[in-house]
Amino acid sequence: MHPRLQQLQYLTRRHFFRESSVGLGALALASLWNQDRATASSKTAVVSPLVPRPPHFTPKAKRVIYLHMSGAPPHLDLFDYKPELVKHNGKDCPQQFLKGKRFAFTSGVPKLLGTPRKYKQYGKAGIWMSDAIPRLHEIADEITVIRSMTTDEFNHAPAELLLYTGFARQGRPSLGAWVIYGLGSESENLPGFVVLISNGVQPSGGQGCWGSGFLPSVYQGVQCRSKGDPVLYVSDPQGMDRDIRRKSLDALKDLNQWQADELGHPETATRIAQYELAFRMQMSVPEVMDISKETRQTLDEYGAQPGAASFANNCLLARRLIEKGVRYVQLFDWGWDFHGTGPNQDIRDGLTRKCATMDKPVAALIKDLKRRGLLDDTLVIWGGEFGRTPFREGRTAGGSILGRDHYPNCYSMFLCGAGIKRGYTHGETDELGFAVVKDKVHVHDLQATILHQLGFDHEKLTFRFQGRDYRLTDVHGHVVKEILA
Amino acid sequence: MIYRLVGGTALLLGGLLHLTPANATDKPASATDKSANVADKSTHAVGQSPIRFDREIRPLLARNCFGCHGPDESHRQAGLRLDVEEAAKRVRKGRQAIKPGDPNQSEVWKRIISTDPEEVMPPADSERALTAEQKEKIRLWIEQGAPWGQHWAFEKPIRPALPATQTPTQHPIDAFIVARLEREKLTLSPPADRYTLARRVALDLTGLPPEPHLVQRFIDDPAPDAYERYVDELLRSPAFGERWARPWLDLARFADTKGYEKDLQRTIWPYRDWLIRALNADMPFDQFTREQLAGDLLPQPTIDQLLATAFHRNTMANDEGGTDDEEFRVAAVKDRVDTTMQVWMGVTFGCAKCHSHKYDPFSLKEYYQLYSFFNQTEDADRFDDAPKLPVPTLEQARKQAAIRVQLQALQEAQFAATVELKREAQQWETQLRPKLDQPDTGKNLPAEVLQALKVAEDQRSDAQKQAILRHVASFAEATSEIRQAIQARQAELKALQIPEVPILRELPPDKRRPNRLHIRGNFLDSGEAVQPDTPKIFPPFPKDAPRNRLGLAQWLTHPDNPLTARVAVNRVWALLFGTGLVESQEDFGSQGQPPSHPELLDWLAVEYRDNGWSLKKLLKTIVTSQTYRQSSKLTPELASKDPRNRLLARGPRFRMEAEMIRDVSLAVSGLLSRKMYGPSVMPPQPDGLWRSAYSGAKWETATNEDRYRRGIYTFIKRTTPYPAMATFDAPSRELCTIRRINTNTPLQALVTLNDTAFVEMAQALARRMLLEGGKTTEERIAHGLRLALVRPAQPEEVTILAELFAERQAHFAKHPQEAKLFAGTTTPTTTAPTTLPSSDADRAALTAVANVILNLDEFLTRN
């Protein structure tokens, strides 16, 4: 038999076996997976980079929606209520908190800044939230708020890279890429890892935040856009229609088949298949990106508008994408860098306005996922790359606009769905919000926890590069068991 | 379901075939190298010949034992290390880890075969394991006296004797390859036909398809050295430097921006031009090394030698608010250390920056000793990227010199003590005199003028008189015309916009930084002081060499250096064959893969060094071998025996790299601009991509010939690399990339089908077919195929495309608007513009044909 056909047949059988064994339980799957790892070398050289595969153990989460607020939201004005700080508002920041520390835009002795926002407890668990995020109050019983996040970096780009790649410099694979590397892609006609960006600016960490680093580039995130081509180059050129495209691809296929028969290289067969897949993507991508078919009610709930490029649209798109089998959807929303250098960066009105574009669609997304039964196995994460200082930012301290500087030592975020506790607050910072005093969660711990929910032991999801087994959590990371239901 | 199986399966195949280079060591997703297994077995049938420590045992120990019993003292278990012979064989408390000749008294062997889960090694939970065959090898090796030896790659290569082969071979390379094949009862494939060969070697050497007339001459040339002369012609082409600059630019992490958040523009393209010129001039690799690592330390360095040092100024710089410049300066210096050791010596030395290397004998201290060589340059992550070197082009230099001559004459004229000027000076002094004692007056005058004025006029020295006169000349009526002329000249100088390129410059001796070890890699946590030195495992630093970067460059290219030549030839081999002789090009250390043909690697390394480090000679040696010239046809036998072609029983065949796909498509369509050098250019890319934080930089699509330049000139913004090339695996150039991982994805199909740049190429190719191809549709299509594939078209191929044409022509004739849009207006530059003997429908239908041609597997593949 022709070797290519042999390989095809072998693969097909194996693929079928894999598909049909889904019901056999995690144990069987895990052993199959391990067996594959062990024997792939001797049996065949044919293994797909994207074929769906089970993780190390039964996962709680089958997919992830990560909502990133680029710039770092002021957590002290959203989730981490510090009445003592309010009491000391306007006083000089005590020396003990400044000694040996560097801040991005603050030197000398800054003034403490108690939140001007009103705080209350919400939901059965009494989760503290400010009045900036009224719609999130409604989903208090669905989420776990972590108030004890901490990172090592106080500039946007390195902090984002640390968060998404486990390392503060460029060159390593991103979280989404690790997930697709580990799990493959469920989607036939869509990328497994999609990135959506709102407010026009990509995150400071650049494409490294969804890059594949040293992993093969098939694992990198694919940016889908609301304006222009929904995926780069997915639209046919002017004057080309579907019929011409089909006929052209048929001619191409015939000619490539000649080449395949002539030289016998399996890559040629692959190329033929990739062109067919591209053709299908040209249909499926615009379809999934077109939200106009959603009901009026849904659109209103999210605050989404067909044709616009907004965070609300992206939240709705995230749901549409995961419904179609996309495994990991990463949103970046620009405009959370609340230094106080302009009215939009004021933690009073500016924050109210910014939050209004965020809390409604996020609440809608979580409710929508729940209604559709997707929240049970979809992990939703909300947060920024670090926190903001309990004092006023140095450059703007003399003005009337209230802003805060970058602060890596503590910040807040929330998670929900897929085996995360519902209605729970984890960790604490001290009375003035300068340090974590209970249940510190480092970004490496967050990464370990996300991978854990997806069924991975973060120490075993590795890739050998330059003679070393690399992993997302570098040499760190502990699963935060306390937040798991 | 069925659909998915078929589609998914084919996808797999592609992934597999293209991914294997990277995945051979990647446990989850892939498979080890089948042909390498074949190789292992046949080379050393177990139990027959002596086991070779460096090739067979050391890798096993390294992978399974060194993690806990290796060079890294902080993770060492039970105080035992197995990477050093003396330690491994030492008697400790009456026991020996390895007792030569006696496996049963060797603790290592006892632990390996132990059934006690507490005792067994490697430990059950370590994810390490030895196969039965590997265990047997270790046993035999101990039995044979456990002979030790250095890791193969750390020993100096010695020119090996050519192996004897049953089939006679003409070329040394073939002798090594055939000898190996004969052990598997395989032979070389027949030579590729001349067309295939003409295209293959042209793509490899110049990155462009060969000129049709050169191909024809080669095809028609009956002389035995026809191929050799064809190769010489390609090596002489200026396109050679452009093609071979590409891989080096990946190593140099060359880009047009600084990286990180703002990712602002940086003028460093003159370095790229230096590189192209150096490669075209076949600059010997030792000189090439010296100039890039230490051009500034050479005696009386030329502008070019200074410019070469920009190699290490391609490190990123962080302009984010509030960053600590020292933190990012240190990061850049570490990048230089890591990159140097990766590029020249193929070792993962960077691992030792936080802790001693786990597998190779590099200590934390040694890392910072090497770091010390690079720690003394002036640059310090400053916003202006200083120090910088003005690098005028020839044209600019000429203009600059002319203006400077004029300026000098004008300046002399301005200060000449003319009668008018003297009179004005006198008047000025008279008016000023009553106010001379007021403090304001003093403030507005230069000190020496004020001083001169305080001296009585007849007692002033010449210098004092001169000072007053010069001062007055700066505003006097008498000099106003001259001053205007000076200003105009100065404006002209500025308008030249002479690029200023960041370079390396050593700090003066009194400003040197202390060299200290960074504990756990943290620059804020300094440890003991260290001196510049190279790792002990390698030959010593040359005695007569200076302890600076220049000495380091000499050490790297010293004949005793075991790695530099091997790593360099392996890189070249990988570019020609798709895979290096050492597949892990980035790691020649104990964790890397052993070479498929060790003797050939050494032969090439020694040959390269002995030929005067000439890249062109090395290339000519390789491409004239029968191994290189074989047909790539895959037979069922080869597919099963050696699916990844590690044994090279057939010719290499792989997808073209990103830049090559662009360049070849442009060339075939007749659009390619052959303009060389200059600032990076912006060909069409989709709108709305450049959206970096806090940066207003814009992509301004070129509308002149810059739209059609070679890919090497495309502007690279690190946080948003040119997407068409990134899709074909071009790296972001943030860090040194040793090898690109070839992938095969549907997104790539979308680029070559739909990207504006590629649509324009199809439109131009359609016109080229019309203008040059002949009168009939068939002739025109055959012409297009011949241009693209560099071979005569087959009638069946023409028929398939002619059918597409006819069908499309009929469609477009009915839809004139679509036809106009699809045919576009892009015209090739290869043919004189004439009135096209065709309709929009013809042009549009041929554009559809051209679009297919530019997407053919054969076209996208270097075969």
Side-chain angles (χ1 to χ4, degrees):
Chain A
M1 195 192 291
H2 191 283
R4 186 168 58 80
L5 292 178
Q6 214 165 7
Q7 284 167 329
L8 269 171
Q9 204 176 59
Y10 173 66
L11 255 179
T12 311
R13 266 204 311 270
R14 202 162 73 124
H15 198 102
F16 178 74
F17 178 48
R18 208 191 276 288
E19 292 292 307
S20 59
S21 65
V22 167
L24 296 181
L27 210 69
L29 279 175
S31 72
L32 181 65
W33 175 215
N34 289 330
Q35 193 185 341
D36 274 353
R37 290 184 196 202
T39 58
S41 52
S42 50
K43 284 216 174 119
T44 172
V46 182
V47 179
S48 156
L50 288 174
V51 69
R53 42 186 171 255
H56 300 131
F57 47 83
T58 315
K60 287 278 196 286
K62 289 191 178 143
R63 52 200 92 80
V64 178
I65 298 175
Y66 200 130
L67 311 168
H68 188 94
M69 309 297 114
S70 309
H75 64 290
L76 293 167
D77 306 299
L78 299 171
F79 293 103
D80 198 10
Y81 183 38
K82 296 286 131 194
E84 275 302 300
L85 185 62
V86 175
K87 257 188 237 165
H88 293 90
N89 185 38
K91 291 186 187 158
D92 280 356
C93 179
Q95 270 305 324
Q96 66 194 91
F97 300 124
L98 302 174
K99 224 175 118 192
K101 280 186 193 156
R102 274 184 311 130
F103 302 98
F105 297 98
T106 306
S107 47
V109 180
K111 305 278 188 228
L112 293 177
L113 176 56
T115 185
R117 317 249 22 150
K118 301 230 173 343
Y119 265 89
K120 268 173 73 176
Q121 286 179 288
Y122 297 92
K124 287 178 213 136
I127 295 181
W128 284 102
M129 289 193 225
S130 84
D131 59 353
I133 40 177
R135 309 302 287 268
L136 296 185
H137 302 165
E138 301 162 15
I139 53 153
D141 284 336
E142 300 295 339
I143 64 176
T144 282
V145 174
I146 303 178
R147 292 189 303 200
S148 50
M149 287 301 304
T150 185
T151 179
D152 309 330
E153 298 291 329
F154 75 108
N155 283 110
H156 300 294
E160 285 170 356
L161 290 169
L162 180 66
L163 173 60
Y164 288 108
T165 74
F167 193 67
R169 311 249 180 278
Q170 285 78 356
R172 304 227 178 151
S174 61
L175 172 57
W178 279 111
V179 171
I180 305 302
Y181 163 69
L183 293 174
S185 173
E186 287 286 355
S187 178
E188 297 159 34
N189 307 329
L190 292 170
F193 173 14
V194 170
V195 180
L196 299 165
I197 295 175
S198 46
N199 285 308
V201 181
Q202 71 179 26
S204 301
Q207 296 188 359
C209 293
W210 61 92
S212 52
F214 45 70
L215 293 178
S217 65
V218 285
Y219 299 119
Q220 76 195 355
V222 174
Q223 191 185 342
C224 287
R225 314 184 307 164
S226 305
K227 289 237 169 90
D229 275 352
V231 159
L232 288 184
Y233 314 117
V234 83
S235 304
D236 284 323
Q238 285 189 315
M240 167 79 81
D241 62 25
R242 287 273 81 191
D243 180 47
I244 313 180
R245 179 55 88 211
R246 183 65 261 165
K247 295 239 162 61
S248 295
L249 288 182
D250 288 343
L252 183 64
K253 196 197 285 184
D254 290 346
L255 291 168
N256 281 343
Q257 196 55 53
W258 268 80
Q259 175 79 1
D261 296 342
E262 174 85 9
L263 289 173
H265 283 281
E267 297 101 295
T268 312
T270 311
R271 185 146 290 116
I272 295 173
Q274 300 295 35
Y275 275 78
E276 291 305 311
L277 190 53
F279 182 75
R280 296 201 300 275
M281 271 180 72
Q282 288 192 282
M283 309 284 281
S284 52
V285 169
E287 205 172 275
V288 73
M289 292 296 290
D290 177 10
I291 58 169
S292 66
K293 291 185 192 99
E294 293 284 338
T295 64
R296 187 73 252 163
Q297 192 192 346
T298 304
L299 290 171
D300 288 347
E301 251 177 35
Y302 280 84
Q305 278 180 315
S310 65
F311 179 70
N313 280 27
N314 288 351
C315 284
L316 179 52
L317 285 171
R319 190 215 80 210
R320 289 175 63 84
L321 288 163
I322 62 157
E323 278 181 327
K324 295 277 182 206
V326 174
R327 177 113 41 205
Y328 186 107
V329 185
Q330 176 76 48
L331 272 66
F332 288 101
D333 184 49
W334 180 254
W336 292 90
D337 198 10
F338 278 79
H339 282 285
T341 45
N344 283 336
Q345 292 182 4
D346 186 304
I347 55 170
R348 292 162 300 189
D349 291 354
L351 185 61
T352 308
R353 283 196 296 274
K354 183 65 185 167
C355 285
T357 67
M358 180 280 288
D359 73 338
K360 180 174 171 170
V362 171
L365 171 65
I366 287 166
K367 289 177 189 169
D368 197 9
L369 290 175
K370 191 173 182 189
R371 214 161 33 232
R372 290 167 192 259
L374 288 165
L375 196 56
D376 293 336
D377 50 14
T378 304
L379 179 62
V380 182
I381 305 152
W382 179 99
E385 62 269 26
F386 42 64
R388 308 203 75 92
T389 49
F391 50 76
R392 288 190 70 176
E393 205 246 77
R395 291 175 303 174
T396 57
S400 60
I401 299 174
L402 298 180
R404 301 181 188 274
D405 206 347
H406 304 171
Y407 198 63
N409 298 38
C410 27
Y411 65 106
S412 310
M413 55 191 303
F414 73 79
L415 290 81
C416 88
I420 301 294
K421 276 183 186 164
R422 301 173 62 224
Y424 177 68
T425 303
H426 184 72
E428 255 174 57
T429 54
D430 63 31
E431 289 186 330
L432 295 178
F434 277 94
V436 172
V437 290
K438 194 177 158 217
D439 296 332
K440 185 180 272 199
V441 180
H442 189 272
V443 285
H444 285 130
D445 304 327
L446 175 73
Q447 292 157 354
T449 310
I450 294 169
L451 289 181
H452 180 268
Q453 292 313 88
L454 286 159
F456 290 108
D457 177 342
H458 69 99
E459 292 185 3
K460 291 185 178 155
L461 183 64
T462 60
F463 185 85
R464 178 157 285 248
F465 174 67
Q466 297 190 343
R468 188 190 139 187
D469 286 334
Y470 280 86
R471 56 181 162 98
L472 174 62
T473 48
D474 200 8
V475 295
H476 314 281
H478 297 283
V479 175
V480 188
K481 292 262 162 64
E482 297 87 345
I483 68 166
L484 306 183
Chain B
M1 183 69 189
I2 298 287
Y3 194 82
R4 150 99 158 265
L5 283 180
V6 175
T9 305
L11 183 71
L12 308 194
L13 279 168
L16 143 80
L17 283 155
H18 290 277
L19 284 173
T20 18
N23 269 359
T25 49
D26 138 31
K27 285 172 292 163
S30 149
T32 20
D33 180 346
K34 205 171 176 182
S35 48
N37 288 344
V38 173
D40 271 359
K41 269 184 223 150
S42 60
T43 328
H44 310 291
V46 172
Q48 289 169 1
S49 51
I51 304 279
R52 289 191 55 182
F53 175 79
D54 61 336
R55 299 235 157 88
E56 298 177 82
I57 300 301
R58 177 177 263 277
L60 290 179
L61 297 180
R63 173 144 300 184
N64 293 289
C65 316
F66 286 3
C68 304
H69 303 293
D72 183 5
E73 58 282 356
S74 66
H75 282 70
R76 197 173 299 147
Q77 302 292 312
L80 172 65
R81 67 187 291 189
L82 295 172
D83 62 317
V84 175
E85 177 175 18
E86 187 273 322
K89 293 180 179 173
R90 188 188 307 155
V91 182
R92 301 192 314 163
K93 295 177 192 161
R95 295 194 296 180
Q96 249 173 307
I98 291 167
K99 185 171 184 191
D102 193 350
N104 294 326
Q105 291 304 312
S106 299
E107 204 60 24
V108 162
W109 176 245
K110 286 197 264 182
R111 293 300 197 94
I112 286 173
I113 55 167
S114 171
T115 49
D116 180 348
E118 296 285 310
E119 292 271 305
V120 69
M121 285 285 163
D125 60 358
S126 68
E127 296 225 316
R128 309 270 180 213
L130 291 163
T131 65
E133 195 187 342
Q134 290 169 333
K135 289 180 185 171
E136 179 58 13
K137 249 185 206 171
I138 292 175
R139 195 190 66 78
L140 265 173
W141 167 69
I142 299 178
E143 204 169 78
Q144 289 172 0
W148 214 266
Q150 175 72 279
H151 173 55
W152 69 269
F154 297 167
E155 278 179 13
K156 182 181 163 177
I158 294 164
R159 185 186 285 269
L162 298 189
T165 54
Q166 286 151 20
T167 328
T169 53
Q170 303 292 319
H171 193 291
I173 290 177
D174 298 331
F176 292 106
I177 298 292
V178 170
R180 182 72 191 80
L181 287 174
E182 284 178 350
R183 291 213 292 271
E184 306 297 327
K185 304 205 167 25
L186 290 169
T187 56
L188 290 176
S189 293
D193 64 84
R194 280 202 175 189
Y195 285 111
T196 303
L197 194 55
R199 184 172 189 259
R200 177 188 297 171
V201 72
L203 293 179
D204 280 348
L205 297 183
T206 67
L208 292 176
E211 297 286 342
H213 72 274
L214 282 184
V215 179
Q216 205 51 53
R217 204 165 75 197
F218 170 50
I219 301 288
D220 296 340
D221 190 344
D225 64 342
Y227 176 68
E228 204 170 313
R229 278 184 288 112
Y230 178 70
V231 167
D232 285 338
E233 190 121 22
L234 295 169
L235 287 171
R236 275 196 300 272
S237 160
F240 170 84
E242 294 172 313
R243 186 270 179 279
W244 285 85
R246 196 290 295 161
W248 192 260
L249 291 175
D250 275 8
L251 302 176
R253 59 291 199 230
F254 169 85
D256 294 291
T257 59
K258 293 156 88 174
Y260 292 106
E261 181 190 64
K262 292 186 183 130
D263 202 15
L264 299 175
Q265 189 164 343
R266 165 188 279 165
T267 302
I268 199 162
W269 54 262
Y271 165 75
R272 177 245 287 138
D273 293 351
W274 172 87
L275 178 62
I276 294 172
R277 289 194 304 268
L279 290 165
N280 274 335
D282 201 20
M283 181 187 281
F285 191 67
D286 51 350
Q287 182 189 351
F288 185 74
T289 300
R290 273 195 304 276
E291 298 199 355
Q292 291 183 86
L293 293 181
D296 59 316
L297 297 172
L298 291 166
Q300 280 99 46
T302 62
I303 286 193
D304 265 358
Q305 286 168 335
L306 292 170
L307 175 57
T309 66
F311 172 82
H312 266 329
R313 291 303 309 277
N314 282 304
T315 47
M316 293 191 286
N318 196 343
D319 295 328
E320 259 191 79
T323 49
D324 180 355
D325 287 346
E326 178 62 5
E327 179 180 355
F328 291 93
R329 183 194 74 82
V330 168
V333 173
K334 287 180 179 170
D335 181 339
R336 289 169 198 160
V337 175
D338 301 356
T339 298
T340 303
M341 291 304 272
Q342 279 267 288
V343 169
W344 273 271
M345 294 188 64
V347 289
T348 58
F349 194 64
C351 293
K353 70 164 81 65
C354 307
H355 53 72
S356 293
H357 201 287
K358 288 223 186 294
Y359 305 105
D360 293 321
F362 307 135
S363 71
L364 182 72
K365 181 172 173 187
E366 284 174 318
Y367 183 89
Y368 290 95
Q369 286 173 335
L370 200 71
Y371 174 94
S372 305
F373 285 107
F374 291 96
N375 191 31
Q376 303 302 346
T377 57
E378 265 181 45
D379 56 286
D381 196 60
R382 282 190 290 263
F383 183 75
D384 65 0
D385 257 346
K388 289 200 279 197
L389 171 77
V391 186
T393 60
L394 274 180
E395 177 74 8
Q396 285 172 329
R398 221 175 8 249
K399 284 186 184 160
Q400 190 185 28
I403 298 171
R404 281 191 177 148
V405 169
Q406 294 175 356
L407 259 180
Q408 199 178 351
L410 285 166
Q411 275 156 349
E412 279 167 21
Q414 183 188 1
F415 302 124
T418 58
V419 181
E420 290 85 358
L421 185 61
K422 280 191 196 158
R423 192 170 52 234
E424 274 192 72
Q426 218 129 37
Q427 286 169 0
W428 173 74
E429 194 180 334
T430 315
Q431 284 171 4
L432 192 72
R433 192 140 292 283
K435 295 183 272 183
L436 205 54
D437 292 334
Q438 293 168 11
D440 278 1
T441 314
K443 247 189 248 164
N444 295 329
L445 286 174
E448 76 266 19
V449 176
L450 190 65
Q451 199 123 42
L453 287 170
K454 285 178 180 164
V455 179
E457 202 178 337
D458 52 353
Q459 287 180 18
R460 283 176 198 156
S461 69
D462 281 353
Q464 285 169 331
K465 286 178 192 158
Q466 192 67 22
I468 294 172
L469 218 54
R470 286 181 81 92
H471 178 67
V472 175
S474 66
F475 54 80
E477 186 89 6
T479 57
S480 77
E481 263 179 56
I482 297 176
R483 276 184 284 115
Q484 275 171 24
I486 288 173
Q487 270 176 8
R489 295 297 168 283
Q490 278 166 342
E492 279 172 33
L493 266 189
K494 211 170 168 191
L496 285 179
Q497 292 192 310
I498 293 170
E500 295 193 356
V501 180
I503 54 163
L504 295 180
R505 193 156 68 201
E506 205 76 337
L507 286 167
D510 58 322
K511 297 245 172 78
R512 295 280 156 87
R513 302 181 180 97
N515 291 317
R516 288 188 173 280
L517 188 149
H518 298 169
I519 295 165
R520 279 185 298 279
N522 181 353
F523 79 107
L524 295 171
D525 196 357
S526 315
E528 63 173 296
V530 291
Q531 294 303 317
D533 208 349
T534 46
K536 279 197 292 294
I537 189 77
F538 298 124
F541 198 78
K543 279 202 181 63
D544 47 350
R547 288 268 155 182
N548 58 17
R549 283 178 282 116
L550 186 58
L552 184 68
Q554 288 168 16
W555 176 77
L556 286 169
T557 53
H558 194 279
D560 286 342
N561 189 302
L563 281 163
T564 303
R566 278 184 177 132
V567 170
V569 297
N570 189 56
R571 185 156 52 228
V572 170
W573 188 274
L575 283 159
L576 299 176
F577 289 89
T579 309
L581 291 166
V582 174
E583 183 169 342
S584 55
Q585 286 178 61
E586 65 286 341
D587 191 3
F588 279 61
S590 61
Q591 292 291 285
Q593 284 138 313
S596 58
H597 299 79
E599 289 83 12
L600 173 56
L601 178 69
D602 288 1
W603 185 86
L604 285 167
V606 175
E607 180 72 14
Y608 183 42
R609 217 173 50 206
D610 291 356
N611 81 15
W613 298 99
S614 161
L615 175 61
K616 288 191 178 181
K617 282 186 196 156
L618 173 69
L619 282 167
K620 188 165 173 189
T621 303
I622 299 176
V623 302
T624 51
S625 68
Q626 285 306 314
T627 303
Y628 176 82
R629 292 154 74 169
Q630 299 173 87
S631 158
S632 71
K633 192 176 164 83
L634 181 63
T635 62
E637 189 199 7
L638 288 180
S640 73
K641 273 199 158 167
D642 187 15
R644 297 190 49 231
N645 200 22
R646 295 305 313 278
L647 299 177
L648 295 168
R650 58 191 151 94
R653 181 186 190 279
F654 42 86
R655 197 206 73 217
M656 293 193 288
E657 62 189 39
E659 289 84 351
M660 210 184 272
I661 288 178
R662 172 178 172 81
D663 298 351
V664 172
S665 304
L666 279 171
V668 166
S669 68
L671 285 173
L672 181 68
S673 159
R674 290 301 295 117
K675 185 173 150 192
M676 293 178 76
Y677 311 125
S680 297
V681 297
M682 301 188 181
Q685 78 168 9
D687 289 337
L689 288 180
W690 274 28
R691 295 280 177 84
S692 287
Y694 306 112
S695 159
K698 281 203 177 64
W699 184 270
E700 285 175 21
T701 309
T703 50
N704 54 11
E705 73 171 309
D706 282 348
R707 196 176 176 96
Y708 306 119
R709 303 272 300 278
R710 291 190 73 169
I712 197 168
Y713 299 112
T714 300
F715 193 100
I716 298 177
K717 179 175 164 127
R718 284 173 157 145
T719 54
T720 316
Y722 188 65
M725 296 207 285
T727 307
F728 283 100
D729 308 311
S732 68
R733 297 271 174 81
E734 286 166 314
L735 298 167
C736 167
T737 308
I738 296 289
R739 57 171 163 163
R740 295 185 180 183
I741 302 170
N742 239 352
T743 63
N744 187 348
T745 74
L747 297 176
Q748 292 165 354
L750 293 176
V751 171
T752 43
L753 288 172
N754 295 337
D755 179 12
T756 304
F758 283 87
V759 172
E760 286 180 357
M761 295 175 210
Q763 292 167 344
L765 177 57
R767 284 170 173 78
R768 202 176 173 189
M769 290 192 268
L770 271 168
L771 289 165
E772 305 171 359
K775 291 217 160 53
T776 68
T777 301
E778 282 74 13
E779 283 170 348
R780 288 164 178 171
I781 290 173
H783 182 60
L785 283 167
R786 188 183 173 109
L787 284 172
L789 306 178
V790 194
R791 63 167 173 80
Q794 302 292 317
E796 296 87 344
E797 296 171 320
V798 176
T799 307
I800 291 173
L801 290 173
E803 277 168 21
L804 177 69
F805 175 84
E807 207 267 339
R808 284 302 96 196
Q809 212 271 352
H811 168 88
F812 280 123
K814 278 182 250 154
H815 301 88
Q817 199 52 37
E818 280 177 34
K820 221 181 183 63
L821 283 171
F822 193 59
T825 55
T826 321
T827 313
T829 51
T830 40
T831 336
T834 50
T835 320
L836 286 173
S838 60
S839 63
D840 280 340
D842 285 345
R843 286 193 288 273
L846 264 185
T847 300
V849 170
N851 187 249
V852 170
I853 291 176
L854 295 178
N855 277 279
L856 286 172
D857 180 63
E858 186 179 350
F859 175 70
L860 297 169
T861 301
R862 166 230 169 275
N863 178 27

